[in-house]
Amino acid sequence: MCQLLAMSSSKPAAVDFSFAGFALRGSEHRDGWGIALHTSSGCKLYTDSLASTHSPLAAQIRNHPIKARNVVAHIRKATQGRISLENSHPFTRELWGQTWSFAHNGDLKLFDPNPSLYSPHGDTDSERAFCHLLSGLALRFETRPPRHVLFGALETLAGEIAAYGSFNFILSNGELLFAHCSTDLHVVVREYPFSVAQLVDCDLSIDFSKHNHLDDRIAVIATQPLTSNEAWARFAPGELKLFVNGLEVGSAPVRRQEWELEICC
């Protein structure tokens, strides 16, 4: 199966530490990789059909990280579709005047919906699922609905697609970050008091207390935990979570205080 990595942060942050360990998983998952960085200037998408362990582009991302509030990354182990650039995740599309990025881990057997408002460029089940999700949302809502309404619609659509197989995915528009689990997905929230973290995939550690402020909060989601000494929480099968500014908010409506915070950021 593929590997997923995502980040939701209260402030623009670099994902270089987590990405350093994540990219090494390309030694087993060799069929391409990609990362979508949602910054104040828009969504920056980088994809490659090479393994992340052999990709000069991946090395550039590690050595020259870009700060972002939301990140969606993927390492591919192909189950459906050719090994090609157009089949490398994340995929992006425009909806309601915003760029949405999407990455999927799993295998959706016999999932071949009728073409709707969005069509895939490649030949993966993952991109078909993404197009189906966005088409379903666009047909339901002319403009972006309140996030708790959007959460309910996504939960319904995700459940329908998951009936065809495993459907672990990350979806973000740069403000909201949705994470859905069918089989394996984990999350850790890094906030005060910050501590030292040790990567699982290589001998690299970091003391987050030296790099973060007291009010920083970062949620990191991954298929499997990236560190050995942090309290990663496993998603329940079928669970959809929503993160805003590094905080899990789920299906709760926006509170006035939180709305004011988002406007001021």
Side-chain angles (χ1 to χ4, degrees):
M1 290 294 184
C2 306
Q3 296 285 303
L4 297 170
L5 168 66
M7 180 189 77
S8 170
S9 177
S10 60
K11 301 175 185 176
V15 73
D16 51 328
F17 174 72
S18 294
F19 186 76
F22 180 72
L24 290 175
R25 297 181 179 182
S27 60
E28 178 182 353
H29 306 77
R30 305 173 181 174
D31 301 326
W33 73 277
I35 188 168
L37 300 149
H38 290 271
T39 71
S40 58
S41 59
C43 179
K44 302 179 185 296
L45 178 66
Y46 303 89
T47 57
D48 198 342
S49 59
L50 295 175
S52 56
T53 48
H54 293 82
S55 167
L57 183 57
Q60 182 179 343
I61 295 295
R62 288 196 305 271
N63 298 328
H64 304 282
I66 300 171
K67 290 188 176 182
R69 291 278 289 270
N70 286 268
V71 173
V72 178
H74 182 271
I75 293 176
R76 187 175 183 227
K77 186 174 184 179
T79 53
Q80 296 186 38
R82 298 165 290 115
I83 300 173
S84 62
L85 191 60
E86 60 267 30
N87 285 338
S88 295
H89 311 213
F91 308 106
T92 60
R93 294 290 193 281
E94 298 295 317
L95 174 63
W96 305 317
Q98 299 173 315
T99 299
W100 292 77
S101 62
F102 171 91
H104 165 234
N105 164 11
D107 188 13
L108 300 170
K109 299 184 184 301
L110 303 178
F111 179 72
D112 190 19
N114 293 325
S116 187
L117 301 180
Y118 294 86
S119 299
H121 302 314
D123 54 358
T124 64
D125 54 332
S126 304
E127 193 179 12
R128 290 195 296 274
F130 179 38
C131 291
H132 186 71
L133 273 181
L134 290 195
S135 293
L137 294 176
L139 290 170
R140 283 169 168 81
F141 312 108
E142 290 186 7
T143 59
R144 202 186 89 182
R147 75 181 187 204
H148 66 285
V149 177
L150 178 58
F151 185 99
L154 269 174
E155 198 169 37
T156 298
L157 288 164
E160 293 172 356
I161 297 172
Y164 289 86
S166 52
F167 192 42
N168 307 291
F169 74 79
I170 308 292
L171 174 70
S172 180
N173 68 343
E175 174 195 349
L176 312 174
L177 190 143
F178 294 92
H180 179 266
C181 175
S182 280
T183 53
D184 281 314
L185 210 57
H186 297 76
V187 61
V188 65
V189 178
R190 293 167 180 157
E191 58 188 344
Y192 181 83
F194 294 97
S195 60
V196 175
Q198 172 67 54
L199 288 175
V200 171
D201 299 276
C202 63
D203 186 19
L204 181 64
S205 63
I206 188 172
D207 185 350
F208 285 115
S209 67
K210 297 180 179 179
H211 298 272
N212 291 280
H213 298 287
L214 298 181
D215 59 344
D216 288 348
R217 182 179 58 247
I218 303 171
V220 178
I221 300 102
T223 301
Q224 294 296 331
L226 295 166
T227 56
S228 59
N229 60 338
E230 292 184 290
W232 291 79
R234 186 171 186 171
F235 285 48
E239 186 172 24
L240 177 68
K241 291 180 181 286
L242 169 59
F243 299 87
V244 177
N245 296 329
L247 179 69
E248 182 186 344
V249 298
S251 58
V254 177
R255 301 187 305 272
R256 179 174 177 81
Q257 181 180 3
E258 183 180 324
W259 177 82
E260 290 173 348
L261 173 64
E262 291 177 1
I263 293 298
C264 293
C265 288

